[in-house]
Amino acid sequence: MSMRHIISVLMENESGALSRVAGLFSARGYNIESLTVAPTEDGSLSRMTLVTQGSEEIVEQITKQLNKLVDVVKLADISDGTHIERELMLIKLRAQGDSARSEIKRMVDIFRARVIDVSDDTFTVELTGSGDKLDAFIKAVDTGFIMETVRSGATGISRGSKSLQV
Amino acid sequence: MQLSGGEILIQFLKDEGVEFVFGYPGGAVLHIYDALFRQEDVKHILVRHEQGATHAADGYARATGKPGVVLVTSGPGATNAVTGIATAHLDSIPMVVITGQVSTPLIGSDAFQEVDAIGITRPCVKHNFLVKDVKDLATTLKKAFYVATTGRPGPVVVDIPKDVTDPGIKIEYEYPQTVAMRSYHPTVKGHPGQVKKAAELILSARRPMIYSGGGVVLSRASAELTDFVRQLGYPITSTLMGLGAYPSTDQKFLGMLGMHGTYEANMGMHECDVLIAVGARFDDRVTGDTRKFCPNARIIHIDIDPSSISKNIRVDIPIVGDIKDVLNDITAAFKELKQKPDSEALASWWKQLERWRSKQCLKYDRNSDLIKPQYVIEKLYEVTKGEAFVTSDVGQHQMFAAQFYPFDKPNRWINSGGLGTMGFGLPAAIGVQLGHPGADVACVTGEASIQMCIQELSTALQYRTPVKVVNLNNRYMGMVRQWQEFFYDSRYSQSYMDTLPDFIKLAESYGHVGMRIEKPADVEAALREAFAMKDRTVFMDFITDRTENVYPMIVAGKGHNEMHLAPECLMDNPDDRELA
C-alpha cells in the first residue's frame, strides 16, 4: 500500500550534497512530493525533510539508499512515530476595494494566518500549518484573488524526547 | 615537507603504497604529470584511450585486491573514463580516479575542456570529491582511498582543478595516517541474534542451497566459504562474479546459476528449502522471473550493503556485515548448537542433484568440422592447467569462458558482469598482467568486443605485458545474433561483423604475434605455442562455428525450472523436450 512518508536527513553541509539526494530519486524512479533543506545550529550539517510516497518496500529502499550516500550522517522516517509537521506558505492576494480587503482579512483571521505586506491593491499573507491546512486556505479564498503562492514544502520533527542528532 | 599540489598528489600515492597509475596526460593535469616525471616510485602506465586506463586499473584491482588508480585530464579525459568508472561501480571494484579540472576561477564558464565531472560521474561512483583548496588535497585523497576500499568497495572520483596543483604554491605536507568521517561507517560485524537464527535455519535445512557471489571475492573470504561448505556438505552454486571463490572442480560445486547457469544449479535453486545467499545481490540475470524465484525456500542473505537486502527478493534472515566475519561467526554458532544437519535428507537431496547433473547440460557437438568456442575454452583450461588469469569481454565468449573454464581460485576470473562492457577484456588483461608479472593471462574475447578497445595492443607492447588474446571469431555479435535467432525470427539486424580487419596483420603491426586457427585439430597446438611465448603478446584468431548458441538459457519471464536446453542435451533425453 502506498503511503506518505516524511524522511528527515542530517547530512554534511557541502556543495553537491543536495544534488546527490535529488539524483538518487530521479535515477531510481522514486517520487519526491517535497524537499526542504537548510543548515542546522551546527553549520557543518544540513537538515533535509523529504516527503515521498511509496509502498513499505520502496520506502525501505529509499531510506537504505539515502543512508548509503556518503554525505548522509543520519536519517529517520519521522512518520513512523508521532510527529509534528509544518509547512509555510506565502500567498499574494489581489485586494482591491473594501469588500475584498475585509473578505480576505476575515479569511486570514479564521485560518490564524497573518498579513505581512500590504499595498494599495494587494495583501501578502503568511500561513503555517500542515499541508492540508494550506490547501484549505487556498480553496477558501476566491481563486480570482490569488496572484502568487509559494510553499516551503513540509518540515517536521518527532514528538517527545526523541531527536535526530549527531 | 613543503610541496606543491601536484607533488603532494604523487607523494601521497607513494605513501599510500600505490604501484601503478593508469592514465593519459592533458592540459589540466600537466602540473601533476610534471611531478610524476621527477620521481620513480609511482609507475605510470600510458594507455591509448582513457577508457582503457579505467579498465586496466579495474583489472589490476580485481586480480590483486588493491585499489586501481587512474589519472586523466578534464573534459574528454573525464568523459572517456566514465564507461570504465560505471563498469567498476556495478561490480563494486575499489578504484580511485583522479580527474583534472579547469582552474577554480574558470569553473562554470564553459572553459576549454571543461565538463562537470562531479555531476557526470555522480550516479556511477561510490562517492566523489571536488578539491578546491590545496590544503584539503591530502586529506581528501585519504578519504577517497578509504571510501573506495572499505565496506562495499567502489570507484571514487577526485576532481582536481589545475590551480590546486600549481607548482608555485607550496604547503606543508604530511601523509594523513588516519581518516575521520562521521557520515561513513560500514557495518562489518553481523548482528549476533541474526547469526544465531541463520545458523539454526541452516542446520534445519533438508534441501539446502548456497548461492555465492562477487562479495565473497571482494571480502577475500574464499577460505571461509570453502570451510563453511565442506563442514556442511551442502551444494553450492555461484554467480558469474563469484566464480573461483569456491573451487569449481569440487564435487559440491554445481556450476554457475542464472540465465546461462547449469541445469543442476538452477533446478537446485528452484527446489531448495533453505537458500543461503552469500555476497550476492539477486541480480535479474540470476533470478529470472522474481515471482517464480525459489518458491519453497526460506532465504538467508549475508551482504555488507544494507541496500542490497530485500531489494529484488524479500529475504527471511538478513545479516549485514563482512562475509568473512559473518561466515566465521555462523561457523562458531554451529558449535554451540546441538543440532546436526539431517544426513538422510541431505543424501536424498544430493541424489536428486546428481540426477540433474547427469543431464550434462553443457554438452555440445564434439564431432563438428568447425571450431566450437566451447572446445577452445576447454583447451585453454588444459594448456594453462587451470591456473591462468582469464579476462573476458562481453557476449557469448564470456558465457563460454564462465561455463568451460572451472576456476579453482578467486581473483582469476575478471569480467564485466554488472555493466556488461564490451572492450573491457584487453585493457583489463594488461592491468592483471602488471599485477602478476609472471602469470599466464588470457583475454577471451570476440571479434566485435575486441575492436572496442583494440588500441590498447599498443600499451601491451610498451609495457611488455605478454597477454594472450583468445579471439573467438564467429563474424557475429554472437549474443545479439542468438537473441535475434530466438526472439526475432532470425532477423539478424546489424549483428553481422562485416569487413573485419586481418587480425594477424593487425597484431603484427602493433608489434605482436598473430595466429589464425581454422581447424579444431589445430586449436591445442596453437594455444601451446602461444603460451610458450612467455614474453610476447599473442593474438589468436580462432575462426569458430558462426551459429553456436549458449545453453542452457532462461529467457525473460521464466523461472529457474524453465530452461532452454541445448539440442545435444535434448537428443539424449527426449522426455525433457517439454522443458524447452
Side-chain angles (χ1 to χ4, degrees), chain A residues 105-141:
Chain A
K105 195 69 188 57
R106 203 164 45 244
M107 236 13 118
V108 164
D109 290 340
I110 292 169
F111 279 85
R112 276 182 284 167
R114 292 198 301 158
V115 177
I116 53 170
D117 186 52
V118 176
S119 73
D120 287 352
D121 46 12
T122 64
F123 277 163
T124 301
V125 173
E126 171 194 325
L127 179 57
T128 309
S130 68
D132 285 353
K133 179 179 165 185
L134 308 191
D135 291 344
F137 182 82
I138 291 173
K139 227 165 145 194
V141 288

Side-chain angles (χ1 to χ4, degrees), chain B residues 313-552:
Chain B
I313 298 284
R314 245 6 245 183
V315 300
D316 301 288
I317 305 180
I319 306 176
V320 176
D322 189 273
I323 306 294
K324 203 192 238 311
D325 293 46
V326 174
L327 284 180
N328 282 334
D329 291 350
I330 293 178
T331 304
F334 286 155
K335 296 201 180 95
E336 282 172 28
L337 296 168
K338 296 225 162 57
Q339 224 172 329
K340 290 270 168 285
D342 182 337
S343 55
E344 225 167 279
L346 191 59
S348 93
W349 176 230
W350 268 112
K351 226 163 124 190
Q352 176 61 61
L353 290 164
E354 292 301 343
R355 259 202 300 278
W356 286 324
R357 175 137 63 186
S358 69
K359 201 172 290 288
Q360 296 187 295
C361 65
L362 297 179
K363 211 183 263 183
Y364 65 91
D365 176 12
R366 287 173 182 277
N367 301 318
S368 171
D369 292 337
L370 302 168
I371 297 178
K372 290 287 182 177
Q374 299 96 323
Y375 179 72
V376 178
I377 305 295
E378 283 181 339
K379 288 293 158 193
L380 173 68
Y381 176 76
E382 280 176 38
V383 168
T384 57
K385 302 186 180 68
E387 292 283 321
F389 289 83
V390 179
T391 73
S392 91
D393 273 304
V394 172
Q396 286 187 325
H397 64 267
Q398 178 187 25
M399 292 300 116
F400 288 133
Q403 292 175 331
F404 289 88
Y405 197 108
F407 293 91
D408 279 345
K409 290 179 186 158
N411 307 94
R412 301 273 166 140
W413 167 236
I414 315 284
N415 82 126
S416 167
L419 195 67
T421 309
M422 291 168 74
F424 175 81
L426 176 62
I430 293 170
V432 172
Q433 188 80 76
L434 287 163
H436 297 281
D440 283 337
V441 179
C443 165
V444 174
T445 182
E447 81 291 345
S449 280
I450 191 69
Q451 291 192 80
M452 286 213 184
C453 272
I454 193 91
Q455 74 286 346
E456 301 307 332
L457 281 173
S458 186
T459 310
L461 183 70
Q462 182 169 349
Y463 299 98
R464 310 286 158 184
T465 49
V467 303
K468 307 295 184 274
V469 179
V470 177
N471 188 40
L472 301 175
N473 184 345
N474 61 355
R475 285 82 71 212
Y476 275 112
M477 293 159 213
M479 194 57 94
V480 173
R481 193 207 59 76
Q482 176 170 341
W483 282 57
Q484 288 171 336
E485 178 189 330
F486 288 1
F487 312 119
Y488 298 89
D489 289 330
S490 299
R491 290 186 298 279
Y492 297 137
S493 178
Q494 303 298 318
S495 57
Y496 182 67
M497 293 302 287
D498 215 336
T499 63
L500 284 169
D502 178 336
F503 285 111
I504 295 185
K505 283 189 191 155
L506 183 106
E508 286 171 356
S509 81
Y510 275 110
H512 303 308
V513 179
M515 293 177 171
R516 181 168 300 120
I517 303 95
E518 291 172 288
K519 289 200 288 289
D522 299 336
V523 169
E524 186 175 340
L527 284 162
R528 289 204 185 282
E529 189 188 339
F531 279 94
M533 289 186 254
K534 291 284 174 210
D535 56 347
R536 299 296 299 273
T537 294
V538 183
F539 193 112
M540 289 164 272
D541 188 23
F542 292 94
I543 308 303
T544 62
D545 184 350
R546 298 170 60 184
T547 56
E548 188 61 34
N549 288 323
V550 181
Y551 291 107

